[in-house]
Amino acid sequence: MTKRPFADALEKLRAVGLRPTRQRLALARLLFENGDRHLTAETLYEEAQAAEIRVSLATIYNSLHQFTEAGLLREVAVGASRTYFDTNVSDHHHFYYEDCGRLVDIAGGDVTVDCLTQAPDGTEIARVEVIIRVAGTPAA
Amino acid sequence: MTKRPFADALEKLRAVGLRPTRQRLALARLLFENGDRHLTAETLYEEAQAAEIRVSLATIYNSLHQFTEAGLLREVAVGASRTYFDTNVSDHHHFYYEDCGRLVDIAGGDVTVDCLTQAPDGTEIARVEVIIRVAGTPAA
DNA sequence: GTGATTGCAAATCTTTTGCACTAAA
DNA sequence: TTTAGTGCAAAAGATTTGCAATCAC
């Protein structure tokens, strides 16, 4: 990590043109100071409460979407029950542990996808998403 | 298709041990008589109403899940807004048109996935799901 | 008959929205 | 000051649940 957590979060927000409010700064620190993470709005909300950060659930949702739009987060679609956000925005894929609902990154280079079928005219590929669904729970 | 739609639906339900009620038979016919389809509970409900089939939304949900558990349908996770069900249960993947929300099958053989990372001990791969997200709307 | 299935309406859960209040520039 | 951002509480949308009525066997 870094030794200037506050300054880093500030810079991160400024870089994408988001006004660095108290809430956004605090959430950015929770999100980005602890390496690659996968979390839901509810998870982040609980973390914020545990850290005594005063922020509403509505603001959590707002921030998650703004961060995503700004490219600081990525949405991962695993199912219809809730939305996961990934702090790792580099090109990579996921294991999804169906029994515990956990997501685990697979490094981008470790998965190769070859598709013989073209996207139709007038369209272009936005992203290729691979989810490897796993039964059972990882030891970790 | 076939020339015995009713008998086929009946057989399909019997084969998986689901009691062939009026509702399940009618839904099975809607689902399986028209080739490969991707639909949501709401979509199927509207179709049923259009076809003058008396069935409640709760029963639609029940049936979709029972059919899925029985292996007659497959759930496709594209996002958190709603659940899609696919009548094609063979090994294949999907294009997802983000602008119109449509799913299109990609034949199983047309996508190759190579993963160098193993699933952890004590777990096993249930399914590999590839979704190619496409911006724009297909001509069709 | 008897247990499975259905329909309805209410409940639940996640996410969004409207709007008055607060804070950043 | 001026505009963007926040919190609250209500609304919305998808799905589930409880339970009495109905149906398949």
Side-chain angles (χ1 to χ4, degrees):
Chain A
M1 306 297 111
T2 173
K3 294 186 171 138
R4 309 157 53 240
F6 178 83
D8 285 351
L10 187 62
E11 207 170 299
K12 207 152 192 161
L13 291 178
R14 289 229 167 98
V16 297
L18 285 173
R19 184 183 291 196
T21 64
R22 178 175 62 73
Q23 289 85 341
R24 294 210 271 235
L25 277 168
L27 294 178
R29 295 188 54 175
L30 281 182
L31 287 168
F32 303 117
E33 272 179 28
N34 298 293
D36 295 341
R37 319 191 54 195
H38 304 93
L39 28 76
T40 65
E42 203 62 44
T43 305
L44 182 57
Y45 185 52
E46 283 161 18
E47 266 190 36
Q49 299 202 301
E52 316 236 3
I53 296 165
R54 280 183 40 263
V55 60
S56 72
L57 192 52
T59 296
I60 299 265
Y61 276 103
N62 283 339
S63 302
L64 285 172
H65 287 136
Q66 291 154 351
F67 289 8
T68 300
E69 200 154 336
L72 302 178
L73 291 176
R74 221 181 81 179
E75 255 182 81
V76 183
V78 286
S81 58
R82 67 196 134 206
T83 303
Y84 284 80
F85 293 86
D86 190 346
T87 62
N88 178 352
V89 292
S90 72
D91 181 37
H92 70 287
H93 301 289
H94 296 97
F95 282 123
Y96 178 63
Y97 295 92
E98 299 189 321
D99 293 352
C100 61
R102 205 182 322 168
L103 278 171
V104 173
D105 283 351
I106 307 173
D110 282 3
V111 174
T112 319
V113 180
D114 258 305
C115 182
L116 305 178
T117 309
Q118 306 286 322
D121 284 348
T123 66
E124 71 177 288
I125 292 176
R127 189 190 336 153
V128 177
E129 199 167 13
V130 178
I131 300 211
I132 303 187
R133 291 172 186 276
V134 178
T137 299
Chain B
M1 306 295 114
T2 172
K3 293 183 171 143
R4 310 158 50 239
F6 178 84
D8 285 350
L10 187 63
E11 208 170 299
K12 208 153 191 160
L13 292 177
R14 288 227 166 100
V16 297
L18 285 172
R19 185 182 287 193
T21 63
R22 178 175 61 75
Q23 289 85 339
R24 293 211 271 237
L25 277 168
L27 294 178
R29 296 188 53 176
L30 281 183
L31 287 169
F32 304 116
E33 272 180 27
N34 298 295
D36 296 340
R37 321 191 52 195
H38 305 94
L39 28 77
T40 65
E42 203 62 45
T43 305
L44 181 57
Y45 185 52
E46 283 160 20
E47 266 190 36
Q49 298 201 303
E52 316 235 3
I53 296 164
R54 279 185 38 264
V55 60
S56 71
L57 192 52
T59 296
I60 300 265
Y61 277 103
N62 283 339
S63 301
L64 285 173
H65 287 136
Q66 291 155 351
F67 288 9
T68 301
E69 200 154 336
L72 301 179
L73 290 176
R74 223 181 80 180
E75 254 181 82
V76 184
V78 285
S81 58
R82 63 194 137 205
T83 304
Y84 283 80
F85 294 86
D86 189 345
T87 62
N88 177 353
V89 293
S90 71
D91 181 35
H92 70 288
H93 300 290
H94 296 97
F95 282 122
Y96 178 62
Y97 295 92
E98 299 189 320
D99 292 351
C100 61
R102 205 184 320 169
L103 278 170
V104 174
D105 284 350
I106 308 174
D110 282 3
V111 174
T112 319
V113 180
D114 258 304
C115 181
L116 304 178
T117 310
Q118 306 287 321
D121 285 348
T123 66
E124 70 176 287
I125 291 175
R127 191 193 330 158
V128 177
E129 200 167 12
V130 178
I131 300 210
I132 302 186
R133 289 171 188 278
V134 178
T137 299

